[in-house]
Amino acid sequence: MTEAEITELVSTQRNYFKTGETLSVAYRIAALKKLKNTILSHENEILAALKADLGKSAHESYMCEAGLALSELTYMIKHTRKFAREKNVHTPLAQFHSRSYKKPSPYGVVLIMSPWNYPFLLTIDPLIDAIAAGNTVILKPSAYSPNTSAIITSLIKECFEEKYVAVVTGGRAENTALLQSHFDYIFFTGSQAVGKTVLEHAASHLTPVTLELGGKSPCIVAADANLKLAARRIVFGKYLNCGQTCVAPDYVYCDEQIKDALLLEIKKEIIRQYGESPLENSDYGKIINEKHFHRINGLIDSSKVIYGGNSNEETLQIEPTVMDHVTFEDAVMSEEIFGPVMPVLTFSHMSEATGKINSMAHPLALYIFTSSKKTADEVISHTGFGGGCINDTIIHLATTEMGFGGFGESGMGSYHGKTGFDTFSHYKSIVDKKTWIDLPMRYQPYTSLHDRLIRFFLK
């Protein structure tokens, strides 16, 4: 799509939004139901596209993408009417007699830019929240996951007219043209580098944004952790989607006393979950492209590999890999790994671990494995991160009842469920003042009576 065509599309959606048709709650719910039914009818095609782009099994693709999108749809269909209601708030006595309320209103024309690692979920989830809030939407899926982008384009065309929801495919040229356009809200999921570019362009129009980024999410394992269970859940979270998950445990940071025992359990779990030859496992996925395949391999120090490390360039697969004796100066700790490589580092005291984490960029997630509620509370209270789990990984993002997002270097803003509805809504603060009484204290000329009344009401 050319720059002129994108400009025309944005204008078309803005004109449609101005008609007020998307303000109807019934209209929004009908759109969500149509989207849900369309996804259900094309489930096999969606799963096939994810298999082609990322090598995901049908089970993993449904569990982590299509199923979660359907869950968000079910929730929003049930709750949008309630979320869209005006909410009365307390009125100060000085404003007698009035009604004060907050009215959720859509921003208008929204741009959603999604990544390649969960290309279906991270396109459809924010779309659901934006529709529920009453916006029109332009979707820009990643060029790195072309098969999923194609099925998304097909689904959206089947569901909606372009004046309401549209898809723009392509690469950098289309991204640049979109970012130069004036949107009322931008929702971006991706890397920190591109997130900065999005923020710079948004600033030129004073457009509000949500940035869902990433970072090096630590997985802390205390000396009193259940090591067998910790290993099982860490291996699941780390190697899910071949590590190409923004909230994957980037590195394991464990008490030096239990490192050897933990590593033994991690090796057992890799074999249990992926088999003796993971590259021959049909349910084990692949790296998205050659660029990232070579980048990840470049982070592996073969002298520190204690498990895995092999790869297949033809299939773009890298074995679940574990590295020991890693330091914070190693290459693997210099950037977000975003691949199936698990560096293991140690600490001698928990205060050492939290201090080190706080000296680094704020991660999107943090995980702590411990049998002590006190230890868990201290770590969670004294470290900065987006969200996380105690004695598990990943699962905090799989709920509509909590917002998901980062802060600082890992992003800004959040979504899912009611939080997602709020993200794509502006809350107008309204005072409905009655006409049958008019307190005189605010009007000039001011007298001593005015002063006494003001002081009575405002104290």
Side-chain angles (χ1 to χ4, degrees), residues 33-89:
K33 287 180 177 178
K34 189 171 186 179
L35 179 59
K36 182 177 181 180
N37 289 333
T38 304
I39 291 173
L40 286 169
S41 65
H42 293 282
E43 179 186 320
N44 290 337
E45 296 157 69
I46 295 166
L47 302 185
L50 292 166
K51 179 70 173 179
D53 284 331
L54 287 152
K56 295 183 182 183
S57 68
H59 180 88
E60 182 178 326
S61 291
Y62 187 86
M63 176 177 68
C64 298
E65 300 225 35
L68 290 179
L70 289 169
S71 178
E72 185 81 2
L73 275 163
T74 300
Y75 183 90
M76 279 303 192
I77 290 167
K78 181 178 180 180
H79 292 94
T80 291
R81 191 170 300 280
K82 179 178 70 174
F83 294 162
R85 290 178 188 146
E86 299 169 356
K87 182 180 179 181
N88 290 336
V89 298

Side-chain angles (χ1 to χ4, degrees), residues 12 54 67 76 97 120 173 195 197 201 206 219 231 284 297-298 301 325 359 363 371 396 423 426 433 444:
T12 299
L54 287 152
M76 279 303 192
H97 180 259
F120 187 79
T197 300
H201 281 84
L206 297 178
C219 181
Y284 185 63
N297 269 317
D301 182 343
H325 305 296
S359 73
S371 298
H396 64 291
T423 287
H426 165 66
K433 191 67 177 286
Q444 290 200 48

Side-chain angles (χ1 to χ4, degrees), residues 218-233:
C219 181
I220 302 172
V221 184
D224 61 356
N226 179 332
L227 298 186
K228 186 172 184 178
L229 185 60
R232 174 170 295 185
R233 293 175 176 177

Side-chain angles (χ1 to χ4, degrees), residues 295-308:
R295 180 190 63 80
I296 295 165
N297 269 317
L299 297 176
I300 299 175
D301 182 343
S302 58
S303 69
K304 297 188 177 185
V305 171
I306 61 167
Y307 192 87

